[in-house]
Amino acid sequence: MIFRTMLETDTSAATSLFVERYSDRRSKNPLYPPTLISDDAVRPLISEWLSNGHGVVAEQNGEMVGYLLGRETTGMGGINMSFTPEWAHATKAGSSGTLTGDLYTRWCRISERPESTLHMTIVFADEISAHDCFVQKGFGRHLIDGGRVVDGFKPGTSAVQVSQPTAAELDQVNALDAKLTTHLDQAPIYRPASPASFGRFSGGHTYDLSWITEPTKSIWVSREGDAITGFMSAEYGPQRPSSLKYPSLPQIEGAFLDSSFRGGGSANALLDALLGWVSETGGKYCTVDFETSNPEGSTFWLRNDFEPLLFTMTRRLDTRYGA
């Protein structure tokens, strides 16, 4: 096995390797959309990331059997980090189970690479050996992107009152969304706060009339008398990971239920209403992302048949190693 620096001329081989693995993955699990199944879709991603980053490749008998590239970017509360997206690493089927870890080790040793105190990568959930390699190098799961089948879904009956909010009620929804932000910022989740320049990603949403009037968006609320006790929203096509960003794939964007109303079926009623909307609008699948350190969220989504598709993993380095 030969390891060497990744060059721009390696882009085509790396692209073919990734597309081969992703196409095989999608043939086994249709929850993965047809986003990264062609060279034309993947090659620009790898080329652009490499142009401002660093990579390594593994070759055996003159053939590329693996690659990994990462670059410095900003995220996780506005701090500098080294990031390797899900399409920025791949190994050939049947290769050594430790290959991803070997590639990461050699990538870490690139002397020209600027160091940061945070390394982040995204791994496909079925890449067990890659996941385990990153765990052995000090990574832990931070975020799960999950998906489930919705085709033909019919909402069940519930005693909980659920409906779409009126324009006058959006302020109440935004107040609940602010509580969601507070929930995610506190123990045990401790989501890093991002600067205001991150816009909507600095914490929460601003639910405006578009969430009532636009056909690609939907928001539902649960009620107790005159009070709105919770909400759940979804939108077609906003997913951040490239492999899940697809116009006809809706993403659940926000969900929160006042703690005093939990355990009474409101969350399930909200999800039923939202999935019913997805089915009625022609959606066959639906995705959601949630922090692994969020005990309420992770339990709820996994219990409701959202299958892990991607793991976002992080490794924090001692600050003495940061640039």
Side-chain angles (χ1 to χ4, degrees):
M1 186 83 68
I2 297 175
F3 295 90
R4 61 171 177 80
T5 300
M6 187 172 186
L7 306 173
E8 180 61 31
T9 52
D10 294 313
T11 300
S12 292
T15 297
S16 297
L17 177 55
F18 177 86
V19 169
E20 177 184 348
R21 294 301 305 274
Y22 186 81
S23 297
D24 179 66
R25 172 176 298 109
R26 187 171 184 275
S27 71
K28 299 172 182 175
N29 188 345
L31 285 172
Y32 292 103
T35 50
L36 304 180
I37 59 173
S38 71
D39 288 6
D40 290 342
V42 177
R43 186 183 296 108
L45 296 174
I46 294 177
S47 179
E48 193 274 335
W49 207 252
L50 182 61
S51 68
N52 292 298
H54 297 81
V56 293
V57 300
E59 292 180 327
Q60 194 166 36
N61 300 322
E63 177 189 16
M64 180 186 292
V65 293
Y67 73 93
L68 184 148
L69 63 147
R71 78 177 187 197
E72 190 176 48
T73 185
T74 303
M76 289 285 288
I79 64 175
N80 290 338
M81 66 178 186
S82 297
F83 183 38
T84 299
E86 71 272 28
W87 42 261
H89 64 97
T91 58
K92 189 174 181 61
S95 58
S96 169
T98 64
L99 183 53
T100 299
D102 295 337
L103 287 163
Y104 173 72
T105 296
R106 283 158 176 80
W107 178 83
C108 285
R109 290 173 175 165
I110 297 175
S111 58
E112 301 85 4
R113 182 181 62 81
E115 190 53 277
S116 64
T117 57
L118 177 66
H119 290 184
M120 177 182 284
T121 187
I122 301 179
V123 181
F124 289 104
D126 63 350
E127 289 187 331
I128 298 174
S129 62
H131 172 276
D132 290 351
C133 283
F134 282 117
V135 170
Q136 291 167 4
K137 301 300 180 183
F139 284 78
R141 295 182 187 177
H142 165 67
L143 196 73
I144 294 177
D145 283 273
R148 62 162 286 172
V149 175
V150 183
D151 192 21
F153 179 85
K154 299 293 183 182
T157 58
S158 173
V160 178
Q161 186 181 359
V162 173
S163 64
Q164 293 182 294
T166 65
E169 293 173 325
L170 288 175
D171 285 345
Q172 295 182 63
V173 176
N174 284 315
L176 285 171
D177 188 70
K179 289 185 177 182
L180 171 61
T181 297
T182 299
H183 169 70
L184 295 175
D185 290 345
Q186 294 177 344
I189 307 167
Y190 297 122
R191 183 182 64 177
S194 297
S197 60
F198 274 47
R200 61 180 288 191
F201 302 113
S202 62
H205 295 75
T206 298
Y207 290 104
D208 56 22
L209 280 174
S210 69
W211 285 89
I212 298 175
T213 60
E214 292 188 7
T216 58
K217 299 180 180 180
S218 185
I219 187 167
W220 297 79
V221 297
S222 54
R223 303 174 184 274
E224 181 72 24
D226 295 331
I228 291 179
T229 61
F231 78 94
M232 194 173 291
S233 64
E235 181 179 6
Y236 275 89
Q239 293 87 351
R240 267 70 69 186
S242 297
S243 57
L244 298 181
K245 188 173 178 63
Y246 194 62
S248 61
L249 180 62
Q251 162 97 352
I252 295 176
E253 286 287 279
F256 185 77
L257 183 65
D258 190 281
S259 58
S260 59
F261 294 95
R262 293 173 188 167
S266 294
N268 287 329
L270 285 167
L271 181 59
D272 267 17
L274 200 63
L275 295 182
W277 169 78
V278 171
S279 182
E280 289 174 4
T281 52
K284 296 183 177 181
Y285 312 102
C286 185
T287 62
V288 68
D289 64 68
F290 52 93
E291 287 82 1
T292 57
S293 56
N294 182 353
E296 293 85 3
S298 57
T299 299
F300 177 77
W301 299 117
L302 293 173
R303 186 179 68 236
N304 279 283
D305 300 325
F306 282 87
E307 170 191 339
L309 301 176
L310 297 171
F311 296 127
T312 297
M313 307 179 72
T314 58
R315 176 192 181 195
R316 292 189 179 274
L317 279 64
D318 188 296
T319 56
R320 292 172 295 178
Y321 297 112

